[in-house]
Amino acid sequence: MSEFNVPQTLGRSLLTVLLPNVGGPCLDFRDHRIEFAVVQTPKNPLRASVGVVGQGADMFSFKSVNLVSPDPHRPIRTYTARQVAILETSGLFGDAVEDLDPAIELALAKTPRGVVCDLTTMLEGPQPGDIDLLAKAGRHVRDWPGIPVAVACPDPQVGVLLAAHPLGAHLIVTATILQALSAVLRTPTVAVEWLHLAPHPTASRAARDFVTRTLLGWGLSSATPTASLVVSELVTNSTVHAGTKIDLSIAWDGPAVRLTVQDRGTGRPRPRIAGLGPHGRGLTIVSGLSRGFGFLPTGDGGKVVWAVLEVPLPSPLTGPEPLEYAAPHQEPPHLSIPVLQKG
């Protein structure tokens, strides 16, 4: 345990944040792309124990921002610990879980290490229907286990009900926020590669080449034909309909590969039966070839379109070592969680 100091020239109130050693060595967070934040003393005393500190400002501090605030008396705030997005709720249980799903989607769109939903300060227990709303978050883990979602709630009945729910069973449930954070950090990290593309007619070819090279490097050559076709359709759709810069990622988690294409276009993907025009079949093809297919909204009004493909594990003779796919987590260009404005 240690503390960090920030120069007084910042002219803000400072908070010394302490954290026990969560599930292993001291958590390091040295990415220069993460803005160092100075925060005021939180109203929730539990949050004072959920920061990562170490040798100066190069370690971690958290910043609170409103993700969802339909009611100013019960906002959802987020802060991060070792690339895990932690969503802090307050107020009544039913109100909180109703607002959690859009907040989780915004967090997942930034490809964090994981997401933790902090329900430790709820004023009362769940009412009929609240567990179904909370369990919806499990669909994200069902579609892509590479980003775990945890729920911290001291009510043991919540854990029992989620474990019996078809979607809720995909969630990690703990009694405290520290246990949830530790459980997320114990899950295997996944290999992720990124590519930035301009909205140019050659973007789809560049995307195919990038995906092919990445899969060959991972020893997943048998997945290249399907993955190349899927990423080509996703990038082409973005280039034609959004016309903005594209951030492409490919991630590998055991028997599954996920492709994501992020753009700033406001349109939402919608597979449809093609007519006689030159376009229209692309997303239908993607849906047919993928184990899962969908999109996540981003805080700037754009979207992340994703597709998950089943892939065979590489053989020891032709592919990398079995544990090599659990490479250190790589993040997208911007990890900060955006603000969602509700109309």
Side-chain angles (χ1 to χ4, degrees), residues 38-238:
V38 181
V39 297
Q40 296 179 350
T41 303
K43 296 180 180 179
N44 180 357
L46 292 176
R47 287 184 56 200
S49 65
V50 187
V52 179
V53 297
Q55 302 172 354
D58 284 339
M59 297 301 287
F60 166 81
S61 68
F62 63 77
K63 180 171 68 173
S64 173
V65 296
N66 285 337
L67 270 179
V68 181
S69 185
D71 184 334
H73 299 293
R74 54 178 176 87
I76 293 180
R77 297 180 178 89
T78 184
Y79 49 103
T80 56
R82 203 182 182 186
Q83 304 173 10
V84 177
I86 303 175
L87 309 180
E88 182 193 77
T89 63
S90 60
L92 300 178
F93 193 98
D95 293 337
V97 299
E98 182 179 353
D99 297 333
L100 262 178
D101 198 59
I104 292 172
E105 287 189 338
L106 279 178
L108 290 173
K110 288 295 180 179
T111 320
R113 174 69 174 83
V115 178
V116 172
C117 304
D118 182 2
L119 303 180
T120 57
T121 59
M122 295 295 94
L123 298 180
E124 63 179 25
Q127 300 298 313
D130 290 345
I131 294 298
D132 288 335
L133 287 176
L134 181 58
K136 285 177 59 179
R139 74 188 189 278
H140 302 298
V141 187
R142 175 201 62 191
D143 295 334
W144 178 239
I147 304 180
V149 177
V151 174
C153 182
D155 186 344
Q157 188 65 13
V158 171
V160 171
L161 294 175
L162 285 176
H165 194 284
L167 292 178
H170 295 281
L171 302 173
I172 299 171
V173 183
T174 66
T176 69
I177 185 67
L178 290 178
Q179 291 172 346
L181 179 58
S182 179
V184 167
L185 293 176
R186 285 197 303 268
T187 61
T189 54
V190 301
V192 185
E193 297 292 341
W194 288 87
L195 179 68
H196 305 284
L197 294 168
H200 191 271
T202 60
S204 60
R205 183 178 66 188
R208 290 194 302 271
D209 293 343
F210 167 72
V211 166
T212 298
R213 289 195 306 270
T214 301
L215 290 175
L216 290 177
W218 289 340
L220 301 174
S221 58
S222 62
T224 56
T226 300
S228 297
L229 177 57
V230 168
V231 77
S232 180
E233 296 294 346
L234 293 179
V235 170
T236 298
N237 187 75
S238 175

Side-chain angles (χ1 to χ4, degrees), residues 276-298:
L276 297 178
H279 304 294
R281 295 182 298 174
L283 295 184
T284 302
I285 294 174
V286 171
S287 180
L289 293 176
S290 306
R291 184 183 77 182
F293 164 67
F295 75 94
L296 297 166
T298 60

